[in-house]
Amino acid sequence: MKEIIVREPLPVPHAHFYQGVTEEQEGHTHALLGFSKPLNGTSFDRHYHYVEGVTTFDNNHYHRFYVKTGPPIPMLDGTHYHLFEGKSYRNYTEAEPTQFGGVVYSPQQKKVHQHLFSGRTSGPIGY
């Protein structure tokens, strides 16, 4: 007879809305907002989420970013949120002209910059 292995159910998967802002560099800032990657976790298990995307389009350019949140911070209602911080990918300080925005790479070497950023998530979405 086969032995049946009984597992505890996994915590419910969830995601978080996130928002943050970059520090000022070269006279401008960018905002970050979106949704984290979903993950199974509770308010007490030290799980984390990945936050990635593209900043707002300011000063004729944007920056890509990719960061892992910190562990969950429990709230009084039993849910949790996460904090995050990181550094954006570099982009030109004086962007090449584009028709629709984005990045056009210059054949000449140009000055680049990047931004430090921080933010927090909302409580869980998807419980």
Side-chain angles (χ1 to χ4, degrees):
M1 178 177 250
K2 256 188 168 177
E3 181 181 349
I4 298 175
I5 299 173
V6 177
R7 290 179 151 179
E8 286 188 35
L10 289 173
V12 175
H14 66 280
H16 297 268
F17 172 75
Y18 67 84
Q19 61 184 19
V21 67
T22 67
E23 291 184 353
E24 184 174 322
Q25 286 290 337
E26 304 294 334
H28 69 281
T29 62
H30 298 272
L32 300 80
L33 62 154
F35 293 92
S36 71
K37 300 291 185 195
L39 191 83
N40 298 61
T42 71
S43 295
F44 305 102
D45 65 0
R46 304 208 38 89
H47 73 277
Y48 55 85
H49 295 266
Y50 287 103
V51 169
E52 64 182 73
V54 176
T55 65
T56 53
F57 188 77
D58 297 291
N59 205 37
N60 292 321
H61 69 278
Y62 60 82
H63 295 266
R64 293 177 295 124
F65 61 91
Y66 181 82
V67 70
K68 186 168 88 170
T69 68
I73 300 170
M75 295 192 287
L76 293 175
D77 65 0
T79 63
H80 66 277
Y81 66 95
H82 300 264
L83 298 177
F84 62 89
E85 59 184 17
K87 190 185 300 186
S88 72
Y89 286 81
R90 292 187 291 260
N91 204 337
Y92 294 131
T93 298
E94 293 184 23
E96 290 288 300
T98 64
Q99 184 176 0
F100 301 108
V103 177
V104 173
Y105 294 100
S106 173
Q108 292 89 19
Q109 190 161 1
K110 295 182 72 168
K111 184 177 177 188
V112 296
H113 71 282
Q114 60 191 145
H115 298 266
L116 297 177
F117 61 84
S118 63
R120 67 165 283 173
T121 71
S122 67
I125 299 168
Y127 275 178

PDB file of all heavy atoms in Angstrom, residues 89-118:
ATOM      1  N   TYR A  89      18.739  51.723 -13.271  1.00  0.00           N
ATOM      2  CA  TYR A  89      19.736  51.549 -14.328  1.00  0.00           C
ATOM      3  C   TYR A  89      20.118  52.930 -14.849  1.00  0.00           C
ATOM      4  O   TYR A  89      19.340  53.882 -14.766  1.00  0.00           O
ATOM      5  CB  TYR A  89      19.161  50.698 -15.466  1.00  0.00           C
ATOM      6  CG  TYR A  89      19.060  49.241 -15.122  1.00  0.00           C
ATOM      7  CD1 TYR A  89      18.001  48.754 -14.364  1.00  0.00           C
ATOM      8  CD2 TYR A  89      20.021  48.338 -15.562  1.00  0.00           C
ATOM      9  CE1 TYR A  89      17.909  47.413 -14.036  1.00  0.00           C
ATOM     10  CE2 TYR A  89      19.942  46.997 -15.246  1.00  0.00           C
ATOM     11  CZ  TYR A  89      18.878  46.529 -14.484  1.00  0.00           C
ATOM     12  OH  TYR A  89      18.795  45.211 -14.158  1.00  0.00           O
ATOM     13  N   ARG A  90      21.298  53.041 -15.437  1.00  0.00           N
ATOM     14  CA  ARG A  90      21.771  54.326 -15.960  1.00  0.00           C
ATOM     15  C   ARG A  90      21.035  54.710 -17.247  1.00  0.00           C
ATOM     16  O   ARG A  90      20.579  53.852 -17.985  1.00  0.00           O
ATOM     17  CB  ARG A  90      23.269  54.246 -16.234  1.00  0.00           C
ATOM     18  CG  ARG A  90      24.092  54.116 -14.979  1.00  0.00           C
ATOM     19  CD  ARG A  90      25.563  54.204 -15.289  1.00  0.00           C
ATOM     20  NE  ARG A  90      26.021  53.042 -16.027  1.00  0.00           N
ATOM     21  CZ  ARG A  90      26.644  52.018 -15.499  1.00  0.00           C
ATOM     22  NH1 ARG A  90      26.889  51.991 -14.212  1.00  0.00           N
ATOM     23  NH2 ARG A  90      27.024  51.011 -16.230  1.00  0.00           N
ATOM     24  N   ASN A  91      20.972  56.015 -17.475  1.00  0.00           N
ATOM     25  CA  ASN A  91      20.456  56.552 -18.716  1.00  0.00           C
ATOM     26  C   ASN A  91      21.195  57.858 -18.998  1.00  0.00           C
ATOM     27  O   ASN A  91      21.818  58.428 -18.115  1.00  0.00           O
ATOM     28  CB  ASN A  91      18.945  56.794 -18.640  1.00  0.00           C
ATOM     29  CG  ASN A  91      18.306  56.777 -20.005  1.00  0.00           C
ATOM     30  OD1 ASN A  91      18.961  57.001 -21.019  1.00  0.00           O
ATOM     31  ND2 ASN A  91      17.004  56.529 -20.046  1.00  0.00           N
ATOM     32  N   TYR A  92      21.104  58.335 -20.225  1.00  0.00           N
ATOM     33  CA  TYR A  92      21.802  59.558 -20.609  1.00  0.00           C
ATOM     34  C   TYR A  92      21.299  60.757 -19.806  1.00  0.00           C
ATOM     35  O   TYR A  92      20.100  60.914 -19.589  1.00  0.00           O
ATOM     36  CB  TYR A  92      21.613  59.857 -22.092  1.00  0.00           C
ATOM     37  CG  TYR A  92      22.245  58.851 -23.015  1.00  0.00           C
ATOM     38  CD1 TYR A  92      21.529  58.310 -24.071  1.00  0.00           C
ATOM     39  CD2 TYR A  92      23.562  58.449 -22.829  1.00  0.00           C
ATOM     40  CE1 TYR A  92      22.116  57.390 -24.919  1.00  0.00           C
ATOM     41  CE2 TYR A  92      24.152  57.531 -23.676  1.00  0.00           C
ATOM     42  CZ  TYR A  92      23.423  57.002 -24.715  1.00  0.00           C
ATOM     43  OH  TYR A  92      24.002  56.093 -25.552  1.00  0.00           O
ATOM     44  N   THR A  93      22.224  61.625 -19.423  1.00  0.00           N
ATOM     45  CA  THR A  93      21.857  62.857 -18.743  1.00  0.00           C
ATOM     46  C   THR A  93      21.142  63.795 -19.715  1.00  0.00           C
ATOM     47  O   THR A  93      20.157  64.426 -19.368  1.00  0.00           O
ATOM     48  CB  THR A  93      23.116  63.532 -18.157  1.00  0.00           C
ATOM     49  OG1 THR A  93      23.681  62.620 -17.202  1.00  0.00           O
ATOM     50  CG2 THR A  93      22.789  64.844 -17.493  1.00  0.00           C
ATOM     51  N   GLU A  94      21.618  63.864 -20.949  1.00  0.00           N
ATOM     52  CA  GLU A  94      20.917  64.593 -22.008  1.00  0.00           C
ATOM     53  C   GLU A  94      20.469  63.560 -23.030  1.00  0.00           C
ATOM     54  O   GLU A  94      21.273  63.069 -23.824  1.00  0.00           O
ATOM     55  CB  GLU A  94      21.836  65.636 -22.644  1.00  0.00           C
ATOM     56  CG  GLU A  94      22.189  66.751 -21.686  1.00  0.00           C
ATOM     57  CD  GLU A  94      23.025  67.832 -22.342  1.00  0.00           C
ATOM     58  OE1 GLU A  94      22.978  67.976 -23.582  1.00  0.00           O
ATOM     59  OE2 GLU A  94      23.722  68.528 -21.596  1.00  0.00           O
ATOM     60  N   ALA A  95      19.199  63.227 -22.984  1.00  0.00           N
ATOM     61  CA  ALA A  95      18.668  62.147 -23.816  1.00  0.00           C
ATOM     62  C   ALA A  95      18.756  62.472 -25.304  1.00  0.00           C
ATOM     63  O   ALA A  95      18.639  63.633 -25.706  1.00  0.00           O
ATOM     64  CB  ALA A  95      17.222  61.868 -23.440  1.00  0.00           C
ATOM     65  N   GLU A  96      18.975  61.429 -26.091  1.00  0.00           N
ATOM     66  CA  GLU A  96      18.901  61.566 -27.542  1.00  0.00           C
ATOM     67  C   GLU A  96      17.453  61.870 -27.919  1.00  0.00           C
ATOM     68  O   GLU A  96      16.530  61.371 -27.285  1.00  0.00           O
ATOM     69  CB  GLU A  96      19.320  60.257 -28.222  1.00  0.00           C
ATOM     70  CG  GLU A  96      20.790  59.942 -28.101  1.00  0.00           C
ATOM     71  CD  GLU A  96      21.634  60.849 -28.972  1.00  0.00           C
ATOM     72  OE1 GLU A  96      21.443  60.856 -30.206  1.00  0.00           O
ATOM     73  OE2 GLU A  96      22.484  61.558 -28.419  1.00  0.00           O
ATOM     74  N   PRO A  97      17.211  62.659 -28.951  1.00  0.00           N
ATOM     75  CA  PRO A  97      15.814  62.933 -29.340  1.00  0.00           C
ATOM     76  C   PRO A  97      15.133  61.656 -29.844  1.00  0.00           C
ATOM     77  O   PRO A  97      15.745  60.851 -30.545  1.00  0.00           O
ATOM     78  CB  PRO A  97      15.949  63.967 -30.466  1.00  0.00           C
ATOM     79  CG  PRO A  97      17.376  63.944 -30.891  1.00  0.00           C
ATOM     80  CD  PRO A  97      18.179  63.340 -29.779  1.00  0.00           C
ATOM     81  N   THR A  98      13.896  61.480 -29.432  1.00  0.00           N
ATOM     82  CA  THR A  98      13.101  60.323 -29.875  1.00  0.00           C
ATOM     83  C   THR A  98      11.725  60.795 -30.285  1.00  0.00           C
ATOM     84  O   THR A  98      11.233  61.819 -29.801  1.00  0.00           O
ATOM     85  CB  THR A  98      12.949  59.279 -28.762  1.00  0.00           C
ATOM     86  OG1 THR A  98      12.213  59.880 -27.689  1.00  0.00           O
ATOM     87  CG2 THR A  98      14.278  58.782 -28.241  1.00  0.00           C
ATOM     88  N   GLN A  99      11.090  60.031 -31.137  1.00  0.00           N
ATOM     89  CA  GLN A  99       9.743  60.398 -31.582  1.00  0.00           C
ATOM     90  C   GLN A  99       8.707  60.008 -30.547  1.00  0.00           C
ATOM     91  O   GLN A  99       7.734  60.702 -30.330  1.00  0.00           O
ATOM     92  CB  GLN A  99       9.439  59.723 -32.912  1.00  0.00           C
ATOM     93  CG  GLN A  99       8.099  60.143 -33.487  1.00  0.00           C
ATOM     94  CD  GLN A  99       7.860  59.543 -34.866  1.00  0.00           C
ATOM     95  OE1 GLN A  99       8.688  58.818 -35.398  1.00  0.00           O
ATOM     96  NE2 GLN A  99       6.727  59.845 -35.434  1.00  0.00           N
ATOM     97  N   PHE A 100       8.888  58.858 -29.883  1.00  0.00           N
ATOM     98  CA  PHE A 100       7.870  58.342 -28.973  1.00  0.00           C
ATOM     99  C   PHE A 100       8.374  58.135 -27.552  1.00  0.00           C
ATOM    100  O   PHE A 100       7.737  57.496 -26.760  1.00  0.00           O
ATOM    101  CB  PHE A 100       7.337  57.010 -29.498  1.00  0.00           C
ATOM    102  CG  PHE A 100       6.742  57.121 -30.858  1.00  0.00           C
ATOM    103  CD1 PHE A 100       7.402  56.597 -31.961  1.00  0.00           C
ATOM    104  CD2 PHE A 100       5.544  57.772 -31.049  1.00  0.00           C
ATOM    105  CE1 PHE A 100       6.856  56.703 -33.225  1.00  0.00           C
ATOM    106  CE2 PHE A 100       4.994  57.896 -32.304  1.00  0.00           C
ATOM    107  CZ  PHE A 100       5.653  57.359 -33.397  1.00  0.00           C
ATOM    108  N   GLY A 101       9.544  58.649 -27.184  1.00  0.00           N
ATOM    109  CA  GLY A 101      10.101  58.407 -25.859  1.00  0.00           C
ATOM    110  C   GLY A 101      10.922  57.136 -25.868  1.00  0.00           C
ATOM    111  O   GLY A 101      11.079  56.478 -26.888  1.00  0.00           O
ATOM    112  N   GLY A 102      11.485  56.814 -24.729  1.00  0.00           N
ATOM    113  CA  GLY A 102      12.289  55.605 -24.640  1.00  0.00           C
ATOM    114  C   GLY A 102      13.760  55.922 -24.684  1.00  0.00           C
ATOM    115  O   GLY A 102      14.182  57.004 -24.308  1.00  0.00           O
ATOM    116  N   VAL A 103      14.548  54.965 -25.145  1.00  0.00           N
ATOM    117  CA  VAL A 103      15.994  55.121 -25.162  1.00  0.00           C
ATOM    118  C   VAL A 103      16.495  54.954 -26.592  1.00  0.00           C
ATOM    119  O   VAL A 103      16.160  53.988 -27.266  1.00  0.00           O
ATOM    120  CB  VAL A 103      16.683  54.074 -24.269  1.00  0.00           C
ATOM    121  CG1 VAL A 103      18.194  54.206 -24.354  1.00  0.00           C
ATOM    122  CG2 VAL A 103      16.223  54.219 -22.831  1.00  0.00           C
ATOM    123  N   VAL A 104      17.274  55.909 -27.043  1.00  0.00           N
ATOM    124  CA  VAL A 104      17.993  55.790 -28.306  1.00  0.00           C
ATOM    125  C   VAL A 104      19.463  55.872 -27.939  1.00  0.00           C
ATOM    126  O   VAL A 104      19.882  56.810 -27.254  1.00  0.00           O
ATOM    127  CB  VAL A 104      17.617  56.926 -29.288  1.00  0.00           C
ATOM    128  CG1 VAL A 104      18.500  56.880 -30.515  1.00  0.00           C
ATOM    129  CG2 VAL A 104      16.156  56.831 -29.662  1.00  0.00           C
ATOM    130  N   TYR A 105      20.242  54.887 -28.332  1.00  0.00           N
ATOM    131  CA  TYR A 105      21.654  54.860 -27.955  1.00  0.00           C
ATOM    132  C   TYR A 105      22.470  55.707 -28.906  1.00  0.00           C
ATOM    133  O   TYR A 105      22.303  55.660 -30.112  1.00  0.00           O
ATOM    134  CB  TYR A 105      22.151  53.417 -27.911  1.00  0.00           C
ATOM    135  CG  TYR A 105      21.471  52.653 -26.812  1.00  0.00           C
ATOM    136  CD1 TYR A 105      20.408  51.809 -27.075  1.00  0.00           C
ATOM    137  CD2 TYR A 105      21.868  52.816 -25.482  1.00  0.00           C
ATOM    138  CE1 TYR A 105      19.763  51.130 -26.050  1.00  0.00           C
ATOM    139  CE2 TYR A 105      21.231  52.145 -24.464  1.00  0.00           C
ATOM    140  CZ  TYR A 105      20.181  51.310 -24.749  1.00  0.00           C
ATOM    141  OH  TYR A 105      19.541  50.647 -23.742  1.00  0.00           O
ATOM    142  N   SER A 106      23.368  56.492 -28.332  1.00  0.00           N
ATOM    143  CA  SER A 106      24.198  57.410 -29.097  1.00  0.00           C
ATOM    144  C   SER A 106      25.465  56.709 -29.567  1.00  0.00           C
ATOM    145  O   SER A 106      26.045  55.925 -28.819  1.00  0.00           O
ATOM    146  CB  SER A 106      24.579  58.599 -28.215  1.00  0.00           C
ATOM    147  OG  SER A 106      25.505  59.420 -28.869  1.00  0.00           O
ATOM    148  N   PRO A 107      25.929  56.998 -30.777  1.00  0.00           N
ATOM    149  CA  PRO A 107      27.198  56.413 -31.228  1.00  0.00           C
ATOM    150  C   PRO A 107      28.397  57.024 -30.485  1.00  0.00           C
ATOM    151  O   PRO A 107      29.448  56.422 -30.404  1.00  0.00           O
ATOM    152  CB  PRO A 107      27.245  56.727 -32.719  1.00  0.00           C
ATOM    153  CG  PRO A 107      26.280  57.831 -32.923  1.00  0.00           C
ATOM    154  CD  PRO A 107      25.265  57.764 -31.820  1.00  0.00           C
ATOM    155  N   GLN A 108      28.229  58.235 -29.918  1.00  0.00           N
ATOM    156  CA  GLN A 108      29.296  58.866 -29.133  1.00  0.00           C
ATOM    157  C   GLN A 108      29.092  58.551 -27.652  1.00  0.00           C
ATOM    158  O   GLN A 108      27.970  58.325 -27.208  1.00  0.00           O
ATOM    159  CB  GLN A 108      29.281  60.399 -29.293  1.00  0.00           C
ATOM    160  CG  GLN A 108      29.661  60.891 -30.653  1.00  0.00           C
ATOM    161  CD  GLN A 108      28.451  60.987 -31.566  1.00  0.00           C
ATOM    162  OE1 GLN A 108      27.328  61.031 -31.105  1.00  0.00           O
ATOM    163  NE2 GLN A 108      28.673  61.002 -32.856  1.00  0.00           N
ATOM    164  N   GLN A 109      30.183  58.546 -26.910  1.00  0.00           N
ATOM    165  CA  GLN A 109      30.083  58.362 -25.468  1.00  0.00           C
ATOM    166  C   GLN A 109      29.458  59.611 -24.868  1.00  0.00           C
ATOM    167  O   GLN A 109      29.867  60.727 -25.175  1.00  0.00           O
ATOM    168  CB  GLN A 109      31.447  58.096 -24.862  1.00  0.00           C
ATOM    169  CG  GLN A 109      31.351  57.676 -23.428  1.00  0.00           C
ATOM    170  CD  GLN A 109      32.600  56.983 -22.951  1.00  0.00           C
ATOM    171  OE1 GLN A 109      33.548  56.831 -23.698  1.00  0.00           O
ATOM    172  NE2 GLN A 109      32.597  56.569 -21.718  1.00  0.00           N
ATOM    173  N   LYS A 110      28.442  59.440 -24.023  1.00  0.00           N
ATOM    174  CA  LYS A 110      27.731  60.559 -23.421  1.00  0.00           C
ATOM    175  C   LYS A 110      27.661  60.370 -21.917  1.00  0.00           C
ATOM    176  O   LYS A 110      27.738  59.258 -21.422  1.00  0.00           O
ATOM    177  CB  LYS A 110      26.301  60.643 -23.974  1.00  0.00           C
ATOM    178  CG  LYS A 110      26.236  60.952 -25.465  1.00  0.00           C
ATOM    179  CD  LYS A 110      24.816  61.061 -25.924  1.00  0.00           C
ATOM    180  CE  LYS A 110      24.219  62.319 -25.391  1.00  0.00           C
ATOM    181  NZ  LYS A 110      22.962  62.691 -25.966  1.00  0.00           N
ATOM    182  N   LYS A 111      27.481  61.476 -21.214  1.00  0.00           N
ATOM    183  CA  LYS A 111      27.332  61.436 -19.758  1.00  0.00           C
ATOM    184  C   LYS A 111      26.033  60.705 -19.397  1.00  0.00           C
ATOM    185  O   LYS A 111      24.997  60.933 -20.014  1.00  0.00           O
ATOM    186  CB  LYS A 111      27.318  62.862 -19.200  1.00  0.00           C
ATOM    187  CG  LYS A 111      27.257  62.922 -17.701  1.00  0.00           C
ATOM    188  CD  LYS A 111      27.316  64.355 -17.214  1.00  0.00           C
ATOM    189  CE  LYS A 111      27.169  64.372 -15.700  1.00  0.00           C
ATOM    190  NZ  LYS A 111      27.031  65.718 -15.180  1.00  0.00           N
ATOM    191  N   VAL A 112      26.125  59.834 -18.391  1.00  0.00           N
ATOM    192  CA  VAL A 112      24.952  59.100 -17.918  1.00  0.00           C
ATOM    193  C   VAL A 112      24.736  59.397 -16.438  1.00  0.00           C
ATOM    194  O   VAL A 112      25.611  59.923 -15.758  1.00  0.00           O
ATOM    195  CB  VAL A 112      25.094  57.572 -18.137  1.00  0.00           C
ATOM    196  CG1 VAL A 112      25.178  57.236 -19.604  1.00  0.00           C
ATOM    197  CG2 VAL A 112      26.285  57.026 -17.375  1.00  0.00           C
ATOM    198  N   HIS A 113      23.554  59.067 -15.961  1.00  0.00           N
ATOM    199  CA  HIS A 113      23.250  59.198 -14.536  1.00  0.00           C
ATOM    200  C   HIS A 113      22.278  58.104 -14.140  1.00  0.00           C
ATOM    201  O   HIS A 113      21.687  57.444 -14.985  1.00  0.00           O
ATOM    202  CB  HIS A 113      22.656  60.581 -14.231  1.00  0.00           C
ATOM    203  CG  HIS A 113      21.262  60.741 -14.753  1.00  0.00           C
ATOM    204  ND1 HIS A 113      20.985  60.980 -16.082  1.00  0.00           N
ATOM    205  CD2 HIS A 113      20.068  60.676 -14.125  1.00  0.00           C
ATOM    206  CE1 HIS A 113      19.680  61.070 -16.244  1.00  0.00           C
ATOM    207  NE2 HIS A 113      19.094  60.887 -15.070  1.00  0.00           N
ATOM    208  N   GLN A 114      22.143  57.912 -12.848  1.00  0.00           N
ATOM    209  CA  GLN A 114      21.148  56.980 -12.310  1.00  0.00           C
ATOM    210  C   GLN A 114      20.626  57.572 -11.011  1.00  0.00           C
ATOM    211  O   GLN A 114      21.150  58.563 -10.512  1.00  0.00           O
ATOM    212  CB  GLN A 114      21.742  55.588 -12.104  1.00  0.00           C
ATOM    213  CG  GLN A 114      22.886  55.523 -11.157  1.00  0.00           C
ATOM    214  CD  GLN A 114      23.590  54.173 -11.205  1.00  0.00           C
ATOM    215  OE1 GLN A 114      24.775  54.145 -11.042  1.00  0.00           O
ATOM    216  NE2 GLN A 114      22.900  53.091 -11.413  1.00  0.00           N
ATOM    217  N   HIS A 115      19.562  56.980 -10.492  1.00  0.00           N
ATOM    218  CA  HIS A 115      18.914  57.506  -9.291  1.00  0.00           C
ATOM    219  C   HIS A 115      18.824  56.429  -8.220  1.00  0.00           C
ATOM    220  O   HIS A 115      18.541  55.266  -8.519  1.00  0.00           O
ATOM    221  CB  HIS A 115      17.467  57.930  -9.606  1.00  0.00           C
ATOM    222  CG  HIS A 115      17.343  59.008 -10.612  1.00  0.00           C
ATOM    223  ND1 HIS A 115      17.247  60.340 -10.271  1.00  0.00           N
ATOM    224  CD2 HIS A 115      17.275  58.969 -11.962  1.00  0.00           C
ATOM    225  CE1 HIS A 115      17.123  61.068 -11.370  1.00  0.00           C
ATOM    226  NE2 HIS A 115      17.134  60.257 -12.408  1.00  0.00           N
ATOM    227  N   LEU A 116      19.012  56.829  -6.976  1.00  0.00           N
ATOM    228  CA  LEU A 116      18.639  55.989  -5.846  1.00  0.00           C
ATOM    229  C   LEU A 116      17.147  56.173  -5.636  1.00  0.00           C
ATOM    230  O   LEU A 116      16.601  57.242  -5.914  1.00  0.00           O
ATOM    231  CB  LEU A 116      19.389  56.418  -4.584  1.00  0.00           C
ATOM    232  CG  LEU A 116      20.913  56.287  -4.641  1.00  0.00           C
ATOM    233  CD1 LEU A 116      21.530  56.828  -3.357  1.00  0.00           C
ATOM    234  CD2 LEU A 116      21.322  54.845  -4.872  1.00  0.00           C
ATOM    235  N   PHE A 117      16.467  55.129  -5.153  1.00  0.00           N
ATOM    236  CA  PHE A 117      15.030  55.252  -4.909  1.00  0.00           C
ATOM    237  C   PHE A 117      14.631  54.443  -3.687  1.00  0.00           C
ATOM    238  O   PHE A 117      15.378  53.568  -3.230  1.00  0.00           O
ATOM    239  CB  PHE A 117      14.210  54.819  -6.132  1.00  0.00           C
ATOM    240  CG  PHE A 117      14.413  53.375  -6.526  1.00  0.00           C
ATOM    241  CD1 PHE A 117      13.708  52.367  -5.916  1.00  0.00           C
ATOM    242  CD2 PHE A 117      15.310  53.045  -7.531  1.00  0.00           C
ATOM    243  CE1 PHE A 117      13.886  51.042  -6.283  1.00  0.00           C
ATOM    244  CE2 PHE A 117      15.493  51.732  -7.915  1.00  0.00           C
ATOM    245  CZ  PHE A 117      14.784  50.721  -7.286  1.00  0.00           C
ATOM    246  N   SER A 118      13.471  54.756  -3.157  1.00  0.00           N
ATOM    247  CA  SER A 118      12.895  53.991  -2.055  1.00  0.00           C
ATOM    248  C   SER A 118      11.386  54.100  -2.136  1.00  0.00           C
ATOM    249  O   SER A 118      10.847  54.982  -2.791  1.00  0.00           O
ATOM    250  CB  SER A 118      13.411  54.489  -0.710  1.00  0.00           C
ATOM    251  OG  SER A 118      13.014  55.831  -0.512  1.00  0.00           O
TER     252      SER A 118
END
